[in-house]
Amino acid sequence: MKTNIIGESAALTDTLAHLSHLANINRPILVLGERGTGKELAAERLHFLSARWDAPFIKVNCAAMAETLLESELFGHEAGAFTGANRTHIGRFERAHSGTLFLDEVGTMSPRLQEKLLRLIEYGEFERVGGQKTIAVDVRVVAATNADLVTMVAQGQFRADLLDRLSFDVVHMPALRARASDVDLLAEHFAIAMSAELGWGVFPGFTDAVREQLAAHEWPGNVRELKNVVERSLHRWDNSAEPVAELIIDPFLAPGIDLENEGLAPAITAEPATPYDTEPNSVLTGSIDFRAEVEKFERSLLEESLRHFGFNQRLSAEQLTLSYDQLRGLVRKHKLRTRRRRKPN
């Protein structure tokens, strides 16, 4: 049972209140939200707060199976229904009898299976694949998706009547960017759990710079991304004696080059470097490689800003009036370091 949803923000509190209010109404519920927002946890909460709490809670990811396999998993099949069907298979609707069936990524379901699902929701009965016996079940359906089902209906990709039946009410799971006050609480929770997994006696905490990074990041992958980032950062830090000072948000970024030690660029001073040391109104002479000089200046500005903000790319992007993706692209282009060097022990 994983019904705990962590957070104290107003957006989350309103959603939890909505879920609690819907728990005991025996109607299909549609849960919408971006990836990583906790749609499955919402479905579990609906189930375990309902009168069905001691009956089965069965879940299936509709996007993870081909149409024929999904049909067999949902509705079951009789022996001999197809090649390899050596015995009767009890589907998930039968297994969920008296309980709840959670259909994740319902928007990926084929039109034919949408029709079968509609009939089951309307009449509470179905036939197994290859069978003729009508089977009655009492199952509450909770469906979830990050797709725009309304647009899919308009485009003929999803049945309008099925959407009507699934959406007795709709729960919107808030994105983590709408729950900014929950980020620190969630990060602490995941870090404590990861510390125990790593065998650390206690979680040593995050530095102020890391907490600023946690607050500044937009978390497009939501709570799932935050959990991965925190766990990855603790694993790489591998030092239970000092607060975690490096946040590994993007594991695909290659480690940066220490420009000073490699002799690839001059040390950065407190003032931003300029491409020329010239007096005002002086006239340049000789051939100038314009693009090379612009690149050099661009690189120096990036280096200065990153160091000034403790290698927080989000804050540097804001200072340089760039989008976060633009700044990351420039960091990769110039092969810059993206975190401060760890001091030797």
Side-chain angles (χ1 to χ4, degrees):
M1 176 174 169
K2 304 181 296 179
T3 54
N4 291 331
I5 303 178
I6 298 169
E8 301 172 344
S9 64
L12 182 64
T13 301
D14 289 346
T15 300
L16 295 182
H18 191 191
L19 287 167
S20 298
H21 185 64
L22 291 172
N24 281 312
I25 185 75
N26 192 29
R27 295 290 187 279
I29 301 297
L30 183 61
V31 182
L32 301 180
E34 298 176 7
R35 62 187 177 91
T37 51
K39 296 187 290 295
E40 183 177 325
L41 292 178
E44 288 186 344
R45 187 177 184 87
L46 282 169
H47 174 74
F48 287 109
L49 290 179
S50 75
R52 298 172 180 266
W53 66 270
D54 59 347
F57 174 77
I58 305 294
K59 52 194 176 184
V60 59
N61 186 338
C62 301
M65 303 180 196
E67 179 185 4
T68 53
L69 179 57
L70 179 60
E71 182 178 20
S72 176
E73 278 300 308
L74 289 176
F75 303 102
H77 63 251
E78 298 289 355
F82 49 83
T83 303
N86 299 321
R87 58 183 180 179
T88 299
H89 173 67
I90 304 300
R92 300 198 192 192
F93 271 109
E94 285 183 79
R95 289 161 50 195
H97 181 63
S98 299
T100 303
L101 181 67
F102 174 54
L103 297 174
D104 198 9
E105 300 299 342
V106 70
T108 63
M109 189 175 287
S110 71
R112 188 172 65 84
L113 291 187
Q114 290 178 37
E115 184 176 0
K116 291 193 70 169
L117 176 60
L118 175 63
R119 177 175 175 79
L120 188 147
I121 293 174
E122 287 189 336
Y123 301 108
E125 57 187 33
F126 66 97
E127 295 83 34
R128 297 186 190 125
V129 177
Q132 297 179 339
K133 177 184 176 182
T134 298
I135 300 170
V137 290
D138 172 22
V139 175
R140 185 190 194 182
V141 173
V142 178
T145 184
N146 60 9
D148 184 349
L149 293 183
V150 174
T151 298
M152 290 178 67
V153 166
Q155 296 173 345
Q157 299 173 344
F158 200 83
R159 292 182 65 108
D161 46 4
L162 176 57
L163 181 58
D164 286 341
R165 293 309 306 268
L166 289 175
S167 57
F168 169 81
D169 205 347
V170 178
V171 176
H172 296 269
M173 296 302 294
L176 191 53
R177 61 182 172 275
R179 301 171 49 193
S181 60
D182 290 337
V183 171
D184 195 63
L185 184 66
L186 284 163
E188 194 85 10
H189 170 78
F190 295 138
I192 290 172
M194 187 62 179
S195 295
E197 185 176 336
L198 292 171
W200 296 1
V202 65
F203 169 53
F206 296 113
T207 63
D208 290 342
V210 164
R211 290 190 185 277
E212 289 178 8
Q213 282 183 273
L214 287 167
H217 189 58
E218 291 186 357
W219 303 109
N222 295 292
V223 178
R224 185 182 296 130
E225 181 191 8
L226 174 61
K227 182 176 186 289
N228 287 339
V229 166
V230 169
E231 292 180 348
R232 180 190 308 122
S233 299
L234 262 68
H235 183 262
R236 287 205 194 176
W237 183 245
D238 198 26
N239 183 354
S240 62
E242 296 185 14
V244 178
E246 292 181 283
L247 197 65
I248 315 300
I249 292 178
D250 189 347
F252 293 97
L253 285 178
I257 299 172
D258 189 332
L259 299 173
E260 294 176 44
N261 289 345
E262 295 293 333
L264 298 177
I268 300 172
T269 61
E271 296 298 323
T274 56
Y276 300 111
D277 237 346
T278 60
E279 294 296 325
N281 301 321
S282 64
V283 178
L284 298 174
T285 60
S287 176
I288 301 294
D289 188 335
F290 176 80
R291 288 185 174 81
E293 295 300 332
V294 170
E295 294 271 307
K296 188 189 301 182
F297 184 53
E298 181 179 81
R299 182 175 187 161
S300 69
L301 285 177
L302 289 165
E303 290 171 328
E304 176 67 20
S305 182
L306 285 166
R307 293 200 182 193
H308 176 75
F309 289 107
F311 297 89
N312 185 318
Q313 295 182 55
R314 181 74 57 188
L315 295 179
S316 292
E318 290 176 3
Q319 184 196 42
L320 299 173
T321 63
L322 299 169
S323 71
Y324 181 59
D325 289 337
Q326 286 174 327
L327 184 121
R328 289 179 61 186
L330 290 169
V331 165
R332 288 193 291 269
K333 169 185 172 182
H334 292 291
K335 299 181 180 179
L336 299 178
R337 277 196 299 124
T338 56
R339 59 185 71 93
R340 61 166 61 89
R341 284 172 295 165
R342 188 182 301 180
K343 294 180 180 179
N345 295 328

